[in-house]
Amino acid sequence: MVGAEGHACPRRVAVIGGGIAGLSAALTLHESAMSVTVIEASDRLGGKILTERTDGYTIEAGPDSILSSKPAGLSMIERIGRLDYVVNTREDGQGTHILHRGKLERLPEGMAALVPIDVRSVLGTRLLSWRGKLRLGREYLLPAQHGSDDESVGDFVRRRLGDEFFENMAEPLLSGIYAGDADQLSLLATFPRLRIAEQQHGGLIRGAIAQRRARQGSASNETRWTPFISLERGLGEIVEGLATSLAGTDIRLGVQAVAVHRSDSGFQIELSTGERLHADGIVLAIPAWATADLLRSVAPRLARELDAIQYVSTATISMAFATQVVPSFASGRGFVIPRGERRILTAVTWSSNKFSGRAPTNRCLVRCYAGHASDQECLTMADDDLIERARRELSDITGIVADPLFTRLYRWPRALPQYNLGHPGRVARIEDLTAELPRLALAGAAYRGVGIPDCIQDGTEQATRLLDRLNALPAPLDRVTMASD
């Protein structure tokens, strides 16, 4: 008599991509007793999160802060045991400036999601002419435009707040988030709350006032966190905490997935090492263009949709100076630069003023941003030329003439996805096509949000959905141990 006793082994899930979305997915799978393999082409984890610590400086190569209002970021920090290391922005580092006609002008106080609601501050700003201020005030009286059709962020802001407000204030603030062309960016994909405010409250200023009153009247408004937060030793602490939480997981650095093939019980993944790895399921947490390359033979229609997501390249240039050579107005957080100023720099952050512990005493750490959807040519410059151009523009704008104590250049080629018009519909089609492959999940900045909390949430949610689908499938035969008596 031959009998069989089934002992289902843990399913193996491959997470391709070791950035914040991939690590969040891997942790969710790991905590659910899945056998997880993380495949990362570079020699480190973290993706665009990269913190360099040297000689008392904490230098962020990529993002430098987390939006505290999106709960997924703080939730993950608590989950990995790093909540006690969260730091708020410095109280003495208030204020953002905008370069206007070659001079730095203070951004009006009371800005809420691109909408100024402090009347006195707006009336006093030199960023707008009196004509521009009058046009801005008309927004309170403009009727709301109803309907579900998408429009560009540029068209929306001009329609509600005027051309001058868009060009001098909104556009440079937007470029600091997406490095994109506001006349191409989808409102519904990037700032859907602005459309909601218009339709629910009749306008942006009305909506911002209603939101402020609601916060003032709610006890839940009290929070220990400033709008932007980081960790004592930089955002790299999140990556380090995730790596510690994933101890025992099969993490392969410097290994690239070069092809994916479907099998009866999942996927076969060809690795750059020559190995073929079986996986019951896959989370692809890499850029859309790289995902398309892997899926071109498996899911050609899905690959075509992924190929249509545009990316731009960016760079950051960090410089350190002795505090005494930096002008006194550098007490703010930094400044943004409109495209009309014709600079390669899009923004500058006084990093050591934004968070404590970023530079030694009597030292100032400055970070410059370069690269915009309308100017990718500047990033083809040689390293020395790009650094020199950034130094020259910083000197022209701020008056810093001293040589930096050191400089760090970090390039991010094809790194920032653009949520252009049609993006919500494209993501819906991508989700429908992905659903035809129940063992596959896609996660990351390309789809539902570019910020760190967005990517954490996406990685966690997509891994959870993949778990549910895998658990609904029967255990594969080659995972069952046969016994005889």
Side-chain angles (χ1 to χ4, degrees):
M1 177 180 178
V2 178
E5 182 181 359
H7 299 282
C9 296
R11 296 182 187 269
R12 171 183 280 183
V13 179
V15 177
I16 301 177
I20 190 66
L23 292 175
S24 300
L27 181 61
T28 299
L29 296 163
H30 175 72
E31 291 176 343
S32 300
M34 288 282 170
S35 175
V36 182
T37 298
V38 178
I39 301 165
E40 170 54 46
S42 71
D43 60 358
R44 64 174 186 83
L45 296 172
K48 300 178 190 69
I49 298 177
L50 172 59
T51 304
E52 180 184 350
R53 307 179 186 106
T54 179
D55 298 329
Y57 293 92
T58 300
I59 307 166
E60 298 288 14
D64 70 345
S65 59
I66 295 174
L67 195 61
S68 64
S69 61
K70 295 187 175 182
L74 279 165
S75 177
M76 177 59 75
I77 292 170
E78 184 175 22
R79 188 172 164 190
I80 60 177
R82 294 297 199 275
L83 193 61
D84 290 340
Y85 302 100
V86 173
V87 293
N88 286 323
T89 48
R90 289 176 51 169
E91 292 183 3
D92 58 350
Q94 300 294 328
T96 298
H97 293 75
I98 294 179
L99 187 65
H100 180 60
R101 296 178 179 175
K103 296 182 179 181
L104 291 174
E105 302 288 352
R106 183 75 174 263
L107 182 70
E109 300 291 341
M111 294 284 289
L114 301 181
V115 184
I117 55 176
D118 187 323
V119 176
R120 288 177 298 178
S121 183
V122 172
L123 290 176
T125 185
R126 287 180 289 192
L127 291 167
L128 299 175
S129 67
W130 278 107
R131 183 185 297 272
K133 293 170 185 176
L134 289 172
R135 172 61 182 85
L136 180 63
R138 282 182 54 208
E139 198 278 338
Y140 193 85
L141 304 174
L142 289 178
Q145 179 174 296
H146 294 279
S148 59
D149 291 345
D150 199 1
E151 64 183 310
S152 75
V153 176
D155 286 345
F156 178 85
V157 173
R158 288 190 183 96
R159 176 169 62 81
R160 295 300 314 181
L161 302 169
D163 293 345
E164 195 174 330
F165 178 87
F166 170 77
E167 293 169 5
N168 295 350
M169 296 174 66
E171 185 276 328
L173 292 172
L174 287 166
S175 68
I177 303 172
Y178 292 97
D181 182 349
D183 289 321
Q184 297 297 322
L185 290 175
S186 159
L187 179 72
L188 297 183
T190 56
F191 291 94
R193 290 184 180 180
L194 295 181
R195 170 62 64 80
I196 293 171
E198 178 186 30
Q199 296 187 349
Q200 289 188 351
H201 300 283
L204 301 185
I205 296 176
R206 292 174 184 271
I209 293 172
Q211 185 181 37
R212 186 171 63 175
R213 287 173 176 168
R215 286 199 305 265
Q216 290 173 343
S218 172
S220 63
N221 183 45
E222 297 180 5
T223 176
R224 59 189 287 197
W225 310 119
T226 53
F228 294 96
I229 57 171
S230 183
L231 285 89
E232 289 180 0
R233 302 181 68 244
L235 294 183
E237 276 200 79
I238 300 176
V239 179
E240 293 156 11
L242 279 162
T244 299
S245 298
L246 287 168
T249 300
D250 181 15
I251 297 178
R252 307 189 187 189
L253 299 178
V255 177
Q256 185 173 0
V258 296
V260 170
H261 308 282
R262 294 181 69 176
S263 68
D264 292 340
S265 58
F267 294 96
Q268 293 289 330
I269 306 168
E270 291 184 31
L271 303 179
S272 56
T273 58
E275 180 183 356
R276 291 177 70 93
L277 179 71
H278 170 80
D280 298 298
I282 296 180
V283 178
L284 287 172
I286 52 179
W289 51 268
T291 301
D293 288 343
L294 285 179
L295 297 179
R296 211 167 300 283
S297 62
V298 174
R301 286 193 300 157
L302 178 55
R304 285 194 293 272
E305 293 287 355
L306 294 166
D307 276 329
I309 298 176
Q310 178 190 355
Y311 277 74
V312 300
S313 301
T314 61
T316 64
I317 307 104
S318 288
M319 307 178 200
F321 296 94
T323 306
Q324 62 264 28
V325 306
V326 178
S328 59
F329 70 76
S331 59
R333 300 246 175 90
F335 56 91
V336 292
I337 304 172
R339 280 186 292 170
E341 295 290 327
R342 300 187 182 280
R343 307 277 185 171
I344 68 165
L345 297 184
T346 59
V348 172
T349 298
W350 305 110
S351 301
S352 48
N353 290 343
K354 190 171 183 179
F355 294 108
S356 299
R358 284 347 188 214
T361 303
N362 297 324
R363 295 290 184 266
C364 177
L365 184 63
V366 184
R367 191 165 81 142
C368 304
Y369 302 78
H372 187 276
S374 63
D375 182 15
Q376 292 287 277
E377 186 177 352
C378 72
L379 298 177
T380 64
M381 300 168 67
D383 287 359
D384 289 346
D385 294 337
L386 182 56
I387 290 171
E388 180 57 32
R389 178 70 176 273
R391 285 179 57 187
R392 189 166 65 248
E393 291 193 2
L394 182 66
S395 177
D396 290 344
I397 297 168
T398 67
I400 300 176
V401 296
D403 290 334
L405 302 173
F406 68 79
T407 303
R408 294 287 190 276
L409 167 64
Y410 304 93
R411 293 181 181 270
W412 300 103
R414 298 181 72 185
L416 198 55
Q418 299 297 287
Y419 290 5
N420 289 336
L421 282 167
H423 185 79
R426 176 164 290 111
V427 170
R429 294 192 296 274
I430 287 171
E431 290 174 344
D432 289 343
L433 292 168
T434 304
E436 297 176 6
L437 301 168
R439 297 176 182 270
L440 174 69
L442 307 183
Y447 312 108
R448 289 160 282 265
V450 300
I452 291 175
D454 301 312
C455 292
I456 290 172
Q457 180 173 330
D458 201 42
T460 302
E461 289 182 351
Q462 298 309 313
T464 300
R465 291 171 186 170
L466 179 62
L467 274 170
D468 291 341
R469 295 194 298 268
L470 290 178
N471 287 332
L473 296 171
L477 292 177
D478 59 358
R479 300 283 177 148
V480 177
T481 301
M482 304 299 294
S484 61
D485 59 12

